[in-house]
Amino acid sequence: MTPHTLPKLSYAYSALEPYIDAETMEIHHAKHHQAYINNLNAAIEKHPDFGDTTTETLLRSLGSLPEDIRDVVRNNGGGHFNHTFFWKIMAPPKESSWPEGILTDAISKNFKTLDNFKQLFTKAALGRFGSGWAWVSVTSLGGLEIHSTPNQDNPITEGLIPILGLDVWEHAYYLKYQNRRPEYIENWWHVVDWSQVSESYSKAIESIRPHSA
Ligand code: MN
């Protein structure tokens, strides 16, 4: 059995300043994310059969997990997966950054303009009452869907493949933005790593494309 561990960030806690402050990043990563991992590992210890199962597989098959750990895995396996994903789709702010490759075409096709795409995403992030996430996911038919989930629920459980996600729990922004979630969302676009998101999109499309014989 291999316990789940906290992934290292590929940038410093201060690297997303001034949009996301170093103190928030450190607490978010070293305390909140670590807590999800500790809780997940404690649950898996009760069912060593799942000791080497990835969080992705756990989340995809939540319904078939033993009932006594299902909710713990949903919340903490979700928390572990979501945060690991979140750290990867952010990067230090660049002067300009845009979607690349086939993602550019998909955004045009589904949302006409990048501005419109951002507006719809912002609406999803603002509309999530309480704690949760806003997502852009690839559907089983290859379309793009903007949606949100409560708590630490993840699109994978719904059969979707997330390519972009924003944590709108207060712990993600309260130190710097207090109750100003709209300002947090607006500033967050500066630290989105579009090359990562574009790559995830390409991989997602590749994975759902029917394989020819
Ligand atoms: Mn969080």
Side-chain angles (χ1 to χ4, degrees):
M1 168 172 167
T2 319
H4 296 271
T5 54
L6 188 67
K8 285 199 165 59
L9 301 186
S10 63
Y11 43 81
Y13 287 138
S14 60
L16 307 185
E17 297 262 13
Y19 306 109
I20 300 182
D21 60 292
E23 191 184 8
T24 296
M25 283 300 295
E26 181 167 2
I27 296 171
H28 202 174
H29 179 253
K31 305 289 184 191
H32 289 280
H33 189 170
Q34 184 67 58
Y36 295 120
I37 292 168
N38 296 347
N39 293 334
L40 175 63
N41 284 334
I44 298 295
E45 266 179 29
K46 294 183 213 158
H47 291 278
D49 286 2
F50 297 100
D52 294 308
T53 310
T54 64
T55 46
E56 188 176 335
T57 301
L58 290 170
L59 294 175
R60 187 174 293 124
S61 48
L62 266 188
S64 60
L65 293 183
E67 215 174 326
D68 64 316
I69 60 165
R70 198 177 298 155
D71 284 346
V72 181
V73 170
R74 178 180 188 161
N75 292 327
N76 295 281
H80 179 29
F81 182 95
N82 292 347
H83 287 84
T84 302
F85 178 90
F86 189 48
W87 311 134
K88 278 192 199 155
I89 54 100
M90 296 192 291
K94 295 178 199 149
E95 278 192 13
S96 68
S97 178
W98 297 88
E100 297 165 7
I102 59 170
L103 179 58
T104 315
D105 303 331
I107 288 175
S108 305
K109 190 178 154 204
N110 287 275
F111 306 103
K112 298 213 163 58
T113 64
L114 183 61
D115 272 354
N116 186 47
F117 166 85
K118 285 182 174 179
Q119 270 180 34
L120 291 168
F121 183 89
T122 299
K123 200 174 159 195
L126 285 175
R128 169 49 52 195
F129 182 77
S131 299
W133 291 73
W135 302 100
V136 179
S137 297
V138 176
T139 69
S140 56
L141 298 174
L144 280 179
E145 187 175 320
I146 291 173
H147 62 119
S148 81
T149 57
N151 306 313
Q152 296 296 350
D153 287 1
N154 184 281
I156 287 175
T157 309
E158 299 171 30
L160 301 166
I161 306 172
I163 61 165
L164 180 67
L166 174 61
D167 188 343
V168 293
W169 283 58
E170 282 189 343
H171 70 223
Y173 62 88
Y174 201 85
L175 287 179
K176 182 178 173 70
Y177 296 99
Q178 290 83 47
N179 61 328
R180 304 187 304 278
R181 192 190 284 189
E183 197 181 323
Y184 161 66
I185 298 168
E186 198 183 325
N187 279 345
W188 173 74
W189 292 113
H190 291 280
V191 295
V192 170
D193 184 353
W194 283 108
S195 60
Q196 179 64 44
V197 180
S198 304
E199 196 186 313
S200 299
Y201 176 70
S202 299
K203 276 188 190 157
I205 291 297
E206 188 66 32
S207 76
I208 59 174
R209 185 177 295 160
H211 295 284
S212 48

